[in-house]
């Protein structure tokens, strides 16, 4: 049995389990997900999808349905693809068009830890004991108790475990921030809608650059947990900036990763000279002297201003990159909304 992650154009992801010899389309329709489909014989191309990771048998099809160039670029036909391993598949349609409904999952608070004066670590456990399924880097919408509103936070934990973990920046007057400071307690109930987002770790093919701002370190913790489990040997540069020293969180965990994989960690603070951290911004390390002429896959998560500054510096310094993945969130003053 293979696990298939279906990523839809609106950022919704659904995990489905295939039966032996089933195609991706057959698995989807068996569980009630109506992905685009017409002939089911590899002749029309309606079910064309993008294979992001995993091994599979592409099946039989005609050139009019899928060209050699498209196949070489990673496209396939869902009506023909049979998994040989777990798969990540981009479906070229919205979740609503495929009749996928977002449902809330009941969880309870397992731990609530204050990592700094401004950052909480929230650990949740599913009420039914099930595991949290997501792609490393994705986020969840958490319902604020007593309101009809949600706030978005990236997982900082390993997928497929019974515990989901998040880093939450406290915002004065924020709905979730007020709840965490004044009401939240171990055993309390929270509903979540998960998983969401197109920012997730792809199959590793070249050296990686991770760039994090503030609690934007969270998705990289999940990615590093995944890479740790896979015994990664690909070099990683992690540039991590925060406003103050106390907000450079999860340092011990990051250092532990660097001891078992080729991870170089660089940290900085913008508002102060903190012991053990450079003064300045993450862009100070984006240069040829450090990064050379290699081509990288780059992942960045942080405030909009930081993301834009990094993009500008990459162009200015002519740092080569094949893929650039980003997750923006609104700046301090509002609670997290993924963009």
């Amino acid at each position: 049995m293979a696990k298939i992650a279906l990523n839809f154009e609106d950022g919704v992801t659904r995990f489905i389990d295939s039966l032996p010899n089933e195609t991706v389309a057959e698995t989807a329709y068996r569980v009630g997900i109506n992905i685009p489909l017409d002939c089911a014989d590899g002749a029309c191309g309606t079910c064309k999808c993008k294979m992001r990771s995993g091994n599979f048998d592409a099946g039989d099809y005609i050139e009019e349905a899928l060209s050699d160039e498209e196949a070489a670029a990673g496209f396939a036909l869902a009506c023909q693809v049979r998994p040989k391993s777990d798969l990540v598949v981009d479906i070229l349609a919205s979740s609503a068009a495929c009749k996928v409904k977002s449902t809330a999952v009941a969880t309870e608070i397992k731990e609530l830890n204050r990592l700094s004066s401004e950052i909480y670590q929230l650990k949740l456990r599913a009420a039914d004991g099930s595991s949290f399924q997501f792609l490393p880097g994705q986020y969840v919408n958490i319902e604020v108790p007593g309101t009809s509103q949600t706030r978005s936070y990236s997982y900082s934990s390993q997928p497929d475990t019974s515990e989901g973990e998040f880093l939450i920046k406290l915002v004065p007057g924020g709905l979730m921030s007020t709840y965490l400071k004044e009401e939240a307690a171990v055993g309390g109930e929270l509903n979540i809608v998960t998983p969401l987002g197109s920012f997730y770790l792809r199959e590793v093919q070249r050296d990686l650059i991770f760039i994090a701002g503030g609690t934007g370190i969270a998705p990289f913790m999940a990615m590093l947990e995944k890479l740790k489990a896979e015994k990664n040997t690909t070099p990683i540069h992690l540039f991590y900036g925060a406003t103050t020293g106390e907000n450079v969180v999860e340092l011990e965990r990051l250092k532990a990763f660097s001891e078992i994989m080729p991870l170089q960690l660089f940290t900085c603070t913008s508002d102060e000279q903190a012991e053990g951290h450079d003064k300045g911004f993450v862009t100070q390390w984006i240069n040829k002297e450090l990064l050379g002429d290699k081509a990288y896959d780059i992942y960045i998560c942080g405030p909009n201003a930081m993301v834009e500054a990094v993009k500008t510096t990459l162009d200015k310094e002519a740092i080569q990159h094949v893929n650039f993945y980003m997750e923006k969130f609104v700046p301090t003053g509002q609670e997290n909304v993924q963009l």
Side-chain angles (χ1 to χ4, degrees):
M1 180 182 293
K3 180 176 294 181
I4 304 171
L6 300 179
N7 291 332
F8 298 91
E9 289 182 332
D10 51 357
V12 172
T13 299
R14 283 294 175 270
F15 289 85
I16 57 178
D17 294 320
S18 69
L19 297 177
N21 208 39
E22 272 189 332
T23 66
V24 169
E26 288 170 340
T27 302
Y29 274 81
R30 176 172 54 79
V31 299
I33 298 176
N34 298 349
I35 64 174
L37 186 68
D38 193 357
C39 73
D41 290 322
C44 70
T46 301
C47 63
K48 193 177 298 178
C49 55
K50 183 70 176 286
M51 309 302 294
R52 288 295 184 182
S53 70
N55 299 316
F56 57 91
D57 180 348
D60 298 320
Y61 51 86
I62 64 174
E63 175 75 15
E64 286 77 7
L66 186 74
S67 69
D68 291 342
E69 291 78 12
E70 288 174 319
F75 289 93
L77 300 180
C79 74
Q80 296 299 304
V81 168
R82 287 180 167 82
K84 290 184 176 180
S85 70
D86 291 348
L87 299 178
V88 178
V89 183
D90 284 356
I91 300 299
L92 309 182
S94 70
S95 61
C98 298
K99 296 184 169 24
V100 176
K101 296 181 179 179
S102 295
T103 56
V105 176
T107 72
E108 64 175 2
I109 298 174
K110 182 180 178 182
E111 290 183 34
L112 185 61
N113 303 310
R114 195 132 189 187
L115 302 186
S116 77
S117 63
E118 297 182 330
I119 297 175
Y120 270 115
Q121 178 193 64
L122 174 67
K123 295 185 179 182
L124 301 178
R125 176 171 46 206
D128 62 3
S130 60
S131 62
F132 291 87
Q133 295 186 327
F134 58 94
L135 300 173
Q138 289 188 309
Y139 68 91
V140 57
N141 283 336
I142 303 180
E143 294 181 3
V144 183
T147 79
S148 59
Q149 297 192 45
T150 64
R151 293 295 183 267
S152 303
Y153 303 102
S154 298
Y155 282 99
S156 59
S157 50
Q158 183 176 342
D160 301 314
T161 62
S162 60
E163 186 177 289
E165 182 180 302
F166 310 91
L167 299 177
I168 299 178
K169 175 79 174 289
L170 297 179
V171 175
L175 284 177
M176 182 62 79
S177 300
T178 299
Y179 166 75
L180 291 176
K181 287 189 294 183
E182 299 180 3
E183 300 179 43
V186 172
E189 296 181 357
L190 287 173
N191 291 327
I192 66 173
V193 179
T194 183
L196 297 160
S198 57
F199 183 75
Y200 60 87
L201 182 67
R202 270 64 170 183
E203 200 164 4
V204 177
Q205 297 180 316
R206 57 192 58 83
D207 287 15
L208 299 168
I209 295 176
F210 291 166
I211 305 173
T215 51
I217 192 63
F220 296 113
M221 305 304 295
M223 292 181 188
L224 289 168
E225 289 287 2
K226 175 72 169 176
L227 292 169
K228 173 186 173 183
E230 295 176 346
K231 296 180 169 52
N232 170 69
T233 58
T234 301
I236 306 166
H237 289 83
L238 172 55
F239 306 138
Y240 175 21
T243 52
T244 63
E246 69 162 351
N247 286 337
V248 181
V249 297
E250 296 280 28
L251 264 182
E252 291 305 313
R253 193 169 157 198
L254 289 169
K255 289 176 181 177
F257 286 129
S258 68
E259 292 172 358
I260 58 175
M261 69 176 86
L263 167 67
Q264 285 188 282
L265 174 63
F266 302 81
T267 59
C268 65
T269 58
S270 58
D271 289 351
E272 62 177 33
Q273 179 64 59
E275 184 178 350
H277 309 296
D278 285 347
K279 167 73 173 178
F281 301 93
V282 293
T283 50
Q284 66 189 286
W285 295 299
I286 300 176
N287 56 66
K288 290 283 189 181
E289 183 178 357
L290 177 63
L291 300 176
D293 292 316
K294 284 185 178 180
Y296 295 88
D297 280 346
I298 299 176
Y299 295 77
I300 177 170
C301 182
N304 184 31
M306 187 198 79
V307 174
E308 294 305 316
V310 167
K311 290 165 66 176
T312 298
T313 306
L314 286 168
D315 289 339
K316 178 183 176 183
E317 297 293 328
I319 302 302
Q320 297 185 57
H321 53 279
V322 178
N323 295 298
F324 183 90
Y325 307 106
M326 63 181 178
E327 185 83 286
K328 299 178 182 180
F329 51 80
V330 295
T332 301
Q334 300 179 58
E335 293 181 302
N336 285 3
V337 177
Q338 253 74 13
L339 301 175

